[in-house]
Amino acid sequence: MPKEPLKTDNPGKEDPNIDLTLRPVVWDEYIGQEKIKDHLKVILGAAKKRNEAADHLLFSGPAGLGKTTLAYLVARDLGGTVKTTSGPALEKVGDLAAVLTNLNPGEILFIDEAHRINPMIEEVLYPAMEARKLHLVVGKGPSARTLTLDLPPFTLIAATTRENLLSQPLRSRFGATLRLGYYTIDDIKRILERSAGILGVKTNEAAMDILARASRGTPRVANRLLRRARDFAEMHDKEVIDEAAAQNTLAMLEVDEAGLEPQDRRLLMTMIEKFKGGPVGINTLAAALSEERGVIEDIYEPYLMTLGFLQRSPSGRIVLPAAYRHLKIKGRDDLL
Ligand code: ADE
């Protein structure tokens, strides 16, 4: 059966980081995250049987793991379209009201970066989620009135990289929370092979293994490395992305074999050299690196913790022995 493109009402507002050509459009193309797919299929299957809008869903997990992609797969499964917005884009209550009143029955409302929704807007979201009511205050002062509008059945899908920053009242209004974790090397290899097929580029197994190990368990990173390796092969008149092409690509990007980028190494080295490997508080670390605390917490730390290179403890962050070994530095390794 020919694949239709995913339906969307506002293609211009899609996450620019999502590579449309490589994005899976049917469940079978979505590799990995098996438990989440199974869970979703039950939720969606039951909703379809009952002929109701599916429960509101919360997708949480690090950036680049496919939360937006999943939202589009859910929409396609339900035969509906998606309207997309994000926490920071909803500046005023009116912004949310405009989005909600424009929803078609059965449509998906996707709110990215949900941890950045402002509390005033959250208040409007609660009755919309629970009772499909939009309460608006019109007018000011003594003449202010509340206007209540009925909303069509819809499913809210909210995505967040920081589930802990979501308020409890908001969290409790989702029918299910699906937590995406980093992909295994094998899954990333399969994603790379699929993407290489779509891009029409030949690869070998060893090269895919090298790229997969450097992809931080993240499809978005994997696809970016693949594109750069394709550029490298093309520039060197190679027909195949082989081991040398993969290794040279990583060297060019200053990505090491475990996927660490210069910023990750700088973070670890700063902790080791300036703070004896920790414990060091997150604010102190952020100041030493001239980096935002949120970026450290969202982007660097989750992957470093997965590798067992870093630990968060009540007294601060600590560099673990595996990091010293990886960086080939003597240190705690000698003590432990
Ligand atoms: N791109 C992003 N996530 C993906 C996945 N899980 N499978 C295949 N391609 C992807």
Side-chain angles (χ1 to χ4, degrees):
M1 213 174 71
K3 279 182 226 159
E4 292 167 37
L6 290 170
K7 291 183 216 159
T8 171
D9 263 359
N10 47 2
K13 287 195 186 150
E14 281 172 8
D15 183 347
N17 294 319
I18 294 291
D19 192 323
L20 289 176
T21 52
L22 299 181
R23 179 145 86 187
V25 288
V26 292
W27 286 115
D28 285 349
E29 290 177 335
Y30 193 93
I31 293 158
Q33 312 287 355
E34 299 301 333
K35 281 192 184 142
I36 288 180
K37 282 191 287 187
D38 289 347
H39 192 167
L40 278 174
K41 284 180 192 169
V42 173
I43 293 173
L44 302 181
K48 281 189 285 190
K49 260 192 162 166
R50 291 193 298 261
N51 217 0
E52 287 174 359
D55 263 359
H56 305 303
L57 304 169
L58 178 63
F59 294 168
S60 90
L65 296 193
K67 297 188 288 293
T68 307
T69 303
L70 265 188
Y72 278 83
L73 284 175
V74 168
R76 188 188 169 96
D77 189 309
L78 295 173
T81 54
V82 184
K83 284 206 167 76
T84 310
T85 185
S86 73
L90 299 170
E91 290 178 12
K92 302 185 300 288
V93 168
D95 297 331
L96 178 63
V99 177
L100 289 172
T101 51
N102 274 308
L103 289 173
N104 297 311
E107 207 164 22
I108 302 277
L109 171 59
F110 180 70
I111 306 186
D112 205 1
E113 295 187 72
H115 55 279
R116 294 178 61 189
I117 301 175
N118 104 31
M120 297 245 298
I121 292 177
E122 255 187 51
E123 293 291 332
V124 179
L125 203 48
Y126 299 154
M129 290 174 76
E130 255 167 13
R132 289 194 221 131
K133 301 279 183 203
L134 177 62
H135 299 303
L136 291 175
V137 180
V138 277
K140 280 201 171 119
S143 64
R145 296 278 179 280
T146 309
L147 183 73
T148 301
L149 299 177
D150 287 324
L151 296 169
F154 71 99
T155 298
L156 172 66
I157 300 183
T160 181
T161 50
R162 305 289 300 279
E163 192 188 332
N164 58 326
L165 296 186
L166 240 56
S167 73
Q168 186 51 35
L170 181 56
R171 246 188 276 184
S172 68
R173 283 172 169 83
F174 291 97
T177 297
L178 301 144
R179 298 186 179 91
L180 284 79
Y182 289 115
Y183 291 70
T184 61
I185 306 265
D186 275 350
D187 284 344
I188 293 286
K189 264 166 117 170
R190 286 168 60 207
I191 290 173
L192 282 167
E193 273 150 20
R194 171 179 177 270
S195 298
I198 294 171
L199 296 174
V201 50
K202 287 193 198 123
T203 60
N204 78 22
E205 162 89 25
M208 290 305 94
D209 194 69
I210 291 168
L211 294 187
R213 288 176 193 282
S215 294
R216 310 173 75 89
T218 306
R220 187 185 294 162
V221 175
N223 287 332
R224 192 177 68 223
L225 293 180
L226 181 67
R227 284 181 182 282
R228 295 294 75 78
R230 177 179 67 159
D231 291 348
F232 185 93
E234 222 158 76
M235 288 306 290
H236 290 80
D237 295 321
K238 288 183 178 215
E239 289 203 351
V240 182
I241 298 178
D242 58 11
E243 276 165 275
Q247 263 151 0
N248 283 313
T249 301
L250 296 186
M252 182 175 76
L253 298 172
E254 297 182 73
V255 170
D256 71 23
E257 68 279 5
L260 297 199
E261 296 175 5
Q263 302 92 304
D264 301 294
R265 290 190 291 269
R266 188 165 80 93
L267 184 148
L268 293 173
M269 290 308 296
T270 302
M271 289 183 66
I272 292 168
E273 288 172 352
K274 291 202 176 146
F275 303 101
K276 299 194 173 81
V280 49
I282 181 67
N283 290 322
T284 308
L285 187 58
L289 293 165
S290 302
E291 189 66 88
E292 274 180 44
R293 175 186 170 153
V295 173
I296 297 176
E297 288 177 322
D298 271 13
I299 314 282
Y300 303 136
E301 287 187 344
Y303 183 61
L304 292 172
M305 290 193 298
T306 304
L307 291 177
F309 284 7
L310 189 83
Q311 188 186 334
R312 285 179 184 161
S313 80
S315 51
R317 273 60 176 169
I318 300 168
V319 181
L320 295 177
Y324 289 88
R325 281 198 292 276
H326 179 76
L327 296 167
K328 300 190 173 61
I329 294 175
K330 288 198 172 182
R332 282 186 180 240
D333 225 7
D334 301 329
L335 307 173
L336 296 167

PDB file of all heavy atoms in Angstrom, residues 82-103:
ATOM      1  N   VAL A  82      -2.984  16.525  13.368  1.00  0.00           N
ATOM      2  CA  VAL A  82      -2.309  17.054  14.549  1.00  0.00           C
ATOM      3  C   VAL A  82      -2.237  18.570  14.453  1.00  0.00           C
ATOM      4  O   VAL A  82      -1.932  19.102  13.393  1.00  0.00           O
ATOM      5  CB  VAL A  82      -0.843  16.541  14.623  1.00  0.00           C
ATOM      6  CG1 VAL A  82      -0.171  17.015  15.909  1.00  0.00           C
ATOM      7  CG2 VAL A  82      -0.777  15.045  14.505  1.00  0.00           C
ATOM      8  N   LYS A  83      -2.517  19.229  15.551  1.00  0.00           N
ATOM      9  CA  LYS A  83      -2.182  20.655  15.638  1.00  0.00           C
ATOM     10  C   LYS A  83      -1.063  20.764  16.666  1.00  0.00           C
ATOM     11  O   LYS A  83      -1.154  20.184  17.742  1.00  0.00           O
ATOM     12  CB  LYS A  83      -3.389  21.494  16.060  1.00  0.00           C
ATOM     13  CG  LYS A  83      -4.371  21.694  14.925  1.00  0.00           C
ATOM     14  CD  LYS A  83      -5.194  22.967  15.075  1.00  0.00           C
ATOM     15  CE  LYS A  83      -5.921  23.301  13.780  1.00  0.00           C
ATOM     16  NZ  LYS A  83      -7.107  22.452  13.549  1.00  0.00           N
ATOM     17  N   THR A  84      -0.015  21.478  16.282  1.00  0.00           N
ATOM     18  CA  THR A  84       1.191  21.503  17.102  1.00  0.00           C
ATOM     19  C   THR A  84       1.439  22.871  17.707  1.00  0.00           C
ATOM     20  O   THR A  84       1.289  23.878  17.024  1.00  0.00           O
ATOM     21  CB  THR A  84       2.416  21.169  16.215  1.00  0.00           C
ATOM     22  OG1 THR A  84       2.133  19.999  15.488  1.00  0.00           O
ATOM     23  CG2 THR A  84       3.659  20.953  17.045  1.00  0.00           C
ATOM     24  N   THR A  85       1.805  22.869  18.982  1.00  0.00           N
ATOM     25  CA  THR A  85       2.266  24.103  19.606  1.00  0.00           C
ATOM     26  C   THR A  85       3.292  23.708  20.666  1.00  0.00           C
ATOM     27  O   THR A  85       3.697  22.550  20.730  1.00  0.00           O
ATOM     28  CB  THR A  85       1.097  24.937  20.178  1.00  0.00           C
ATOM     29  OG1 THR A  85       1.592  26.170  20.667  1.00  0.00           O
ATOM     30  CG2 THR A  85       0.362  24.211  21.289  1.00  0.00           C
ATOM     31  N   SER A  86       3.722  24.671  21.453  1.00  0.00           N
ATOM     32  CA  SER A  86       4.697  24.327  22.493  1.00  0.00           C
ATOM     33  C   SER A  86       4.480  25.217  23.704  1.00  0.00           C
ATOM     34  O   SER A  86       3.856  26.289  23.597  1.00  0.00           O
ATOM     35  CB  SER A  86       6.120  24.523  21.967  1.00  0.00           C
ATOM     36  OG  SER A  86       6.411  25.896  21.883  1.00  0.00           O
ATOM     37  N   GLY A  87       4.977  24.765  24.843  1.00  0.00           N
ATOM     38  CA  GLY A  87       4.855  25.536  26.090  1.00  0.00           C
ATOM     39  C   GLY A  87       5.247  26.998  25.906  1.00  0.00           C
ATOM     40  O   GLY A  87       4.451  27.899  26.177  1.00  0.00           O
ATOM     41  N   PRO A  88       6.461  27.259  25.403  1.00  0.00           N
ATOM     42  CA  PRO A  88       6.877  28.661  25.276  1.00  0.00           C
ATOM     43  C   PRO A  88       6.067  29.454  24.244  1.00  0.00           C
ATOM     44  O   PRO A  88       5.987  30.683  24.354  1.00  0.00           O
ATOM     45  CB  PRO A  88       8.344  28.576  24.835  1.00  0.00           C
ATOM     46  CG  PRO A  88       8.731  27.162  24.883  1.00  0.00           C
ATOM     47  CD  PRO A  88       7.547  26.314  25.155  1.00  0.00           C
ATOM     48  N   ALA A  89       5.470  28.778  23.272  1.00  0.00           N
ATOM     49  CA  ALA A  89       4.700  29.508  22.245  1.00  0.00           C
ATOM     50  C   ALA A  89       3.361  29.991  22.795  1.00  0.00           C
ATOM     51  O   ALA A  89       2.744  30.904  22.248  1.00  0.00           O
ATOM     52  CB  ALA A  89       4.473  28.619  21.024  1.00  0.00           C
ATOM     53  N   LEU A  90       2.886  29.365  23.871  1.00  0.00           N
ATOM     54  CA  LEU A  90       1.610  29.764  24.462  1.00  0.00           C
ATOM     55  C   LEU A  90       1.868  30.873  25.475  1.00  0.00           C
ATOM     56  O   LEU A  90       2.064  30.614  26.663  1.00  0.00           O
ATOM     57  CB  LEU A  90       0.935  28.558  25.142  1.00  0.00           C
ATOM     58  CG  LEU A  90       0.595  27.397  24.209  1.00  0.00           C
ATOM     59  CD1 LEU A  90       0.156  26.176  25.014  1.00  0.00           C
ATOM     60  CD2 LEU A  90      -0.509  27.795  23.227  1.00  0.00           C
ATOM     61  N   GLU A  91       1.920  32.087  24.982  1.00  0.00           N
ATOM     62  CA  GLU A  91       2.292  33.196  25.871  1.00  0.00           C
ATOM     63  C   GLU A  91       1.124  33.712  26.693  1.00  0.00           C
ATOM     64  O   GLU A  91       1.255  34.079  27.840  1.00  0.00           O
ATOM     65  CB  GLU A  91       2.890  34.343  25.054  1.00  0.00           C
ATOM     66  CG  GLU A  91       4.265  34.005  24.499  1.00  0.00           C
ATOM     67  CD  GLU A  91       4.840  35.111  23.646  1.00  0.00           C
ATOM     68  OE1 GLU A  91       4.282  36.228  23.661  1.00  0.00           O
ATOM     69  OE2 GLU A  91       5.818  34.851  22.944  1.00  0.00           O
ATOM     70  N   LYS A  92      -0.041  33.757  26.035  1.00  0.00           N
ATOM     71  CA  LYS A  92      -1.213  34.298  26.715  1.00  0.00           C
ATOM     72  C   LYS A  92      -2.316  33.248  26.723  1.00  0.00           C
ATOM     73  O   LYS A  92      -2.318  32.325  25.908  1.00  0.00           O
ATOM     74  CB  LYS A  92      -1.719  35.540  25.958  1.00  0.00           C
ATOM     75  CG  LYS A  92      -0.679  36.645  25.830  1.00  0.00           C
ATOM     76  CD  LYS A  92      -1.255  37.892  25.182  1.00  0.00           C
ATOM     77  CE  LYS A  92      -1.786  37.683  23.793  1.00  0.00           C
ATOM     78  NZ  LYS A  92      -0.870  37.476  22.730  1.00  0.00           N
ATOM     79  N   VAL A  93      -3.266  33.393  27.650  1.00  0.00           N
ATOM     80  CA  VAL A  93      -4.402  32.477  27.689  1.00  0.00           C
ATOM     81  C   VAL A  93      -5.086  32.445  26.315  1.00  0.00           C
ATOM     82  O   VAL A  93      -5.505  31.392  25.833  1.00  0.00           O
ATOM     83  CB  VAL A  93      -5.389  32.905  28.788  1.00  0.00           C
ATOM     84  CG1 VAL A  93      -6.701  32.165  28.666  1.00  0.00           C
ATOM     85  CG2 VAL A  93      -4.785  32.672  30.168  1.00  0.00           C
ATOM     86  N   GLY A  94      -5.136  33.597  25.670  1.00  0.00           N
ATOM     87  CA  GLY A  94      -5.761  33.680  24.353  1.00  0.00           C
ATOM     88  C   GLY A  94      -5.098  32.800  23.317  1.00  0.00           C
ATOM     89  O   GLY A  94      -5.761  32.295  22.397  1.00  0.00           O
ATOM     90  N   ASP A  95      -3.784  32.582  23.462  1.00  0.00           N
ATOM     91  CA  ASP A  95      -3.089  31.713  22.501  1.00  0.00           C
ATOM     92  C   ASP A  95      -3.621  30.281  22.608  1.00  0.00           C
ATOM     93  O   ASP A  95      -3.865  29.612  21.605  1.00  0.00           O
ATOM     94  CB  ASP A  95      -1.573  31.700  22.764  1.00  0.00           C
ATOM     95  CG  ASP A  95      -0.949  33.074  22.569  1.00  0.00           C
ATOM     96  OD1 ASP A  95      -1.482  33.856  21.763  1.00  0.00           O
ATOM     97  OD2 ASP A  95       0.072  33.360  23.235  1.00  0.00           O
ATOM     98  N   LEU A  96      -3.787  29.830  23.862  1.00  0.00           N
ATOM     99  CA  LEU A  96      -4.311  28.474  24.046  1.00  0.00           C
ATOM    100  C   LEU A  96      -5.771  28.407  23.603  1.00  0.00           C
ATOM    101  O   LEU A  96      -6.200  27.443  22.955  1.00  0.00           O
ATOM    102  CB  LEU A  96      -4.186  28.043  25.516  1.00  0.00           C
ATOM    103  CG  LEU A  96      -4.758  26.653  25.811  1.00  0.00           C
ATOM    104  CD1 LEU A  96      -4.002  25.570  25.048  1.00  0.00           C
ATOM    105  CD2 LEU A  96      -4.707  26.350  27.315  1.00  0.00           C
ATOM    106  N   ALA A  97      -6.520  29.442  23.943  1.00  0.00           N
ATOM    107  CA  ALA A  97      -7.941  29.455  23.557  1.00  0.00           C
ATOM    108  C   ALA A  97      -8.073  29.357  22.036  1.00  0.00           C
ATOM    109  O   ALA A  97      -8.923  28.622  21.515  1.00  0.00           O
ATOM    110  CB  ALA A  97      -8.607  30.736  24.067  1.00  0.00           C
ATOM    111  N   ALA A  98      -7.206  30.061  21.324  1.00  0.00           N
ATOM    112  CA  ALA A  98      -7.270  30.033  19.856  1.00  0.00           C
ATOM    113  C   ALA A  98      -7.001  28.635  19.330  1.00  0.00           C
ATOM    114  O   ALA A  98      -7.685  28.139  18.439  1.00  0.00           O
ATOM    115  CB  ALA A  98      -6.262  31.024  19.276  1.00  0.00           C
ATOM    116  N   VAL A  99      -5.999  27.974  19.922  1.00  0.00           N
ATOM    117  CA  VAL A  99      -5.665  26.619  19.461  1.00  0.00           C
ATOM    118  C   VAL A  99      -6.827  25.672  19.770  1.00  0.00           C
ATOM    119  O   VAL A  99      -7.258  24.884  18.918  1.00  0.00           O
ATOM    120  CB  VAL A  99      -4.373  26.106  20.150  1.00  0.00           C
ATOM    121  CG1 VAL A  99      -4.078  24.681  19.730  1.00  0.00           C
ATOM    122  CG2 VAL A  99      -3.185  26.998  19.817  1.00  0.00           C
ATOM    123  N   LEU A 100      -7.350  25.755  20.994  1.00  0.00           N
ATOM    124  CA  LEU A 100      -8.411  24.823  21.409  1.00  0.00           C
ATOM    125  C   LEU A 100      -9.689  24.995  20.594  1.00  0.00           C
ATOM    126  O   LEU A 100     -10.333  24.012  20.215  1.00  0.00           O
ATOM    127  CB  LEU A 100      -8.718  25.002  22.907  1.00  0.00           C
ATOM    128  CG  LEU A 100      -7.642  24.511  23.879  1.00  0.00           C
ATOM    129  CD1 LEU A 100      -7.997  24.933  25.310  1.00  0.00           C
ATOM    130  CD2 LEU A 100      -7.479  22.995  23.801  1.00  0.00           C
ATOM    131  N   THR A 101     -10.045  26.246  20.329  1.00  0.00           N
ATOM    132  CA  THR A 101     -11.311  26.463  19.613  1.00  0.00           C
ATOM    133  C   THR A 101     -11.187  26.128  18.128  1.00  0.00           C
ATOM    134  O   THR A 101     -12.183  25.995  17.444  1.00  0.00           O
ATOM    135  CB  THR A 101     -11.811  27.923  19.769  1.00  0.00           C
ATOM    136  OG1 THR A 101     -10.750  28.809  19.422  1.00  0.00           O
ATOM    137  CG2 THR A 101     -12.267  28.209  21.192  1.00  0.00           C
ATOM    138  N   ASN A 102      -9.956  25.963  17.665  1.00  0.00           N
ATOM    139  CA  ASN A 102      -9.756  25.574  16.266  1.00  0.00           C
ATOM    140  C   ASN A 102      -9.624  24.070  16.060  1.00  0.00           C
ATOM    141  O   ASN A 102      -9.405  23.618  14.937  1.00  0.00           O
ATOM    142  CB  ASN A 102      -8.506  26.256  15.702  1.00  0.00           C
ATOM    143  CG  ASN A 102      -8.861  27.635  15.172  1.00  0.00           C
ATOM    144  OD1 ASN A 102      -9.798  27.767  14.381  1.00  0.00           O
ATOM    145  ND2 ASN A 102      -8.157  28.647  15.634  1.00  0.00           N
ATOM    146  N   LEU A 103      -9.723  23.311  17.146  1.00  0.00           N
ATOM    147  CA  LEU A 103      -9.563  21.858  16.997  1.00  0.00           C
ATOM    148  C   LEU A 103     -10.769  21.247  16.294  1.00  0.00           C
ATOM    149  O   LEU A 103     -11.908  21.644  16.547  1.00  0.00           O
ATOM    150  CB  LEU A 103      -9.410  21.199  18.371  1.00  0.00           C
ATOM    151  CG  LEU A 103      -8.096  21.441  19.111  1.00  0.00           C
ATOM    152  CD1 LEU A 103      -8.178  20.860  20.534  1.00  0.00           C
ATOM    153  CD2 LEU A 103      -6.928  20.825  18.342  1.00  0.00           C
TER     154      LEU A 103
END
